[in-house]
Amino acid sequence: MRGPVSRYGVLLSAVVALCACTEAPPPEPAAPVADREPAFVGSAECRNCHEAEFEDWLGSHHDLAMLVADESTVLGDFDDAEFEYFGTVSRFFRLDDDFVVRTQDDGGEVRDFVISYTYGIEPLQQYLVEFPNGHIQPLPFAWDTRMAEEGGQRWFHLYPDEYIGPDDPLFWTGREQNWNYMCAECHSTDVQLNYDLAADSYQTTWSEINVGCEACHGPASNHVAAAQTGTLPGNSALPVDLDDRDGVTWRMNPDTGIAERHPLAMQAPQQPEACGRCHARRGIITSDYEYGRPLADTHRVALLTEPLYFPDGQIRDEVYVYGSFLQSRMYQAGVTCSDCHNPHSLELHTGPEPDLVCARCHLPQRFSQAEHHGHEPGQVACVDCHMPDRNYMVVDPRRDHSLRVPRPDLSLVTGAPNACTMCHTDRDDEWAAEAVHDWWGEPQAPTMPESGIRRATDLANLAGPFESEAQVAVERGLRDPDPLVRTAAAQVAPGLPPERVIQQLAPLLEDDVRSVRLAAVQSLAPARDYLPAGLAGAFERAADEYRAAQLAVASRPQAHGALAEFEGRLGDIEAALAHADRAVAMAPEMALLRHSRGLLLVRADRRDEALAELRQATELAPEVARFSYVYAVALNSLGQPDAALQVLEEARLKHPDDPEIGAFLEMLRAD
């Protein structure tokens, strides 16, 4: 790995260069700034002209996102501290200048690991170990940086209530805890993974070890050059314009008590798309991040599905805030991230008291009164009701950014939580629903505004073949202005009538957003030979993009499984099996990969191997009824009805209500 670039190294290099140039020849005429490929120059270059913003950034969570482990950065107790986890004692100590932990390796042996980097700052700090193959792994222990009176200043395990041993996929040295894939993009600047698939190794580099100015604003060499020559254009010469608030005012409407944006928002703000790169649950679909593009062009955004979200869209798993903010009335009204947060210090504009930032757009005379919230003055904050928090990583509370109205009456139907009983833990949802009804009467509908991410989620949950109403919704979704909606519609479009699939879906092969094109080409793959001749080129370009999207995360066995499925849809069974072989070799414990490989082997007429894989899938995941059903079908199709019957009998005991297993079992019994 290339060592971290010093925060002030770029400036020092510039000074040295100037001192050395005592008699330089006249320079060649420089190319216009707009014609140059922008490069990363480092945050220190920004300080010359942006002193206030730089000072805000210093010491922020972005500045301290990742640092080299040394005396000034390590906060944890390495003075021969010990921590016991399910009978195994780990020790934290110093060895010369190194910070060392003695703990279990992936073979169950206890040995010493040197800490290479710190990771985060508040309310916890993690520690990273670099292995010889370039894999960087976070320890399962973290240091609670809160004050002792708050329960902090202690070591704790990130899975305190369940044993994560060396044979568990979540063990700290394993693929599911790998920093390079899981974390690097969002804790450092200009990260290049440089993964070698054959060697399963990384040579990961960065331009700055932490989240610097250019992580958000993009490579700034052209901006700096233009500023130094006095030729800075109106667009700043940066790859992305994040000034969503330029020329915008919020004027209070005295009738509603809520400020309104002027001018009205005519397009989605840019900041959530930029911040969402790291503040969203998403997957990478290109190794080249493009500043200024919609998030869906470079990442596959998770929708509001369980178990990531509760049925009503509230955060459940660690999904960060992008998906919830897109649901909010604030987002629909044109609110952007920096309306509430200082984008450089990351603090609220009004300091630690959140009610003050709310009061900038919501009149306290109306909304801070008991008539609004039903509590005594000062008893609750706005965020307690509209942005309840949940703890992640044991000690880190994060607030739901959908800014919804508490609806305990819906909790009785959906089982989703509500702010009332999250605070009144000694009460139930029925009590809360009655209290809310007593205060405000019948709840107003709809509970949340219409949002693209909700429409996309609803479409993604549809299953074909579609009735007329669903068909209309899907076809409308394929033309929706929101790329999340178009992507979801493209994924389910094969459920349309066959004569409509190509007609409706083919234009999306040339959509301007990558995730839409990938969904379209994946759905159209089985129909490639039926596409109009004029679309053959668009299909092949999108197919190459799909392959590249998977190879961008080639360290993941799921990526090779996806390639196997894609090539299988195209009819290239040998290519599909090559990807499936690699996927299973990387993760032999993953039942879905075994199942998929088994189906490909059936198509390749490699019967014995196919049955072995399908059986292995059922043994690895007996809780998945579909695996047992397909295995039984394969056995019966290959002339082993008695064995199929036995598999179904056993599956019936585990899945008594599964209709496929029940119907097939009755058929075999009748025979």
Side-chain angles (χ1 to χ4, degrees), residues 162-203:
E162 56 180 316
Y163 177 61
I164 306 295
D167 59 346
D168 194 295
L170 293 177
F171 191 68
W172 75 276
T173 60
R175 195 180 305 275
E176 298 305 315
Q177 300 288 1
N178 174 245
W179 168 88
N180 309 73
Y181 164 75
M182 300 288 291
C183 320
E185 183 185 25
C186 293
H187 278 254
S188 301
T189 303
D190 184 30
V191 172
Q192 305 297 318
L193 291 182
N194 297 322
Y195 176 69
D196 185 329
L197 178 60
D200 188 25
S201 65
Y202 288 97
Q203 292 185 337

Side-chain angles (χ1 to χ4, degrees), residues 363-441:
L363 281 177
Q365 298 92 320
R366 175 169 298 191
F367 295 103
S368 293
Q369 307 303 314
E371 290 78 10
H372 174 69
H373 52 62
H375 294 74
E376 294 298 322
Q379 190 176 12
V380 295
C382 305
V383 293
D384 293 333
C385 297
H386 297 291
M387 300 180 69
D389 61 35
R390 299 177 67 83
N391 264 22
Y392 300 93
M393 303 187 77
V394 183
V395 299
D396 190 6
R398 302 177 196 168
R399 295 199 176 275
D400 190 310
H401 276 57
S402 57
L403 299 121
R404 64 186 63 236
V405 175
R407 288 292 301 272
D409 58 310
L410 293 183
S411 297
L412 294 170
V413 178
T414 66
N418 63 83
C420 304
T421 52
M422 290 174 73
C423 184
H424 298 275
T425 55
D426 59 333
R427 303 285 190 152
D428 59 20
D429 294 335
E430 187 173 353
W431 167 85
E434 291 177 358
V436 168
H437 185 273
D438 290 344
W439 283 329
W440 299 297

Side-chain angles (χ1 to χ4, degrees), residues 508-571:
L508 270 62
L509 291 170
E510 298 180 296
D511 195 275
D512 64 347
V513 175
R514 182 181 279 105
S515 62
V516 182
R517 298 194 297 271
L518 299 186
V521 76
Q522 187 179 23
S523 291
L524 282 170
R528 175 183 59 176
D529 294 339
Y530 302 98
L531 290 171
L535 289 173
F539 181 91
E540 292 305 324
R541 288 190 295 273
D544 286 342
E545 276 192 309
Y546 184 88
R547 296 181 181 104
Q550 304 307 324
L551 292 177
V553 289
S555 64
R556 308 295 293 171
Q558 296 92 330
H560 300 283
L563 285 171
E565 180 184 4
F566 184 64
E567 300 297 352
R569 288 185 173 195
L570 291 175

Side-chain angles (χ1 to χ4, degrees), residues 32 126 131 241 371 405-406 469 496 548 551 558 571 635 638 649:
Q126 291 182 265
F131 287 79
D241 180 6
E371 290 78 10
V405 175
E469 185 176 348
L496 294 171
L551 292 177
Q558 296 92 330
L635 285 168
L638 297 177
E649 295 280 10

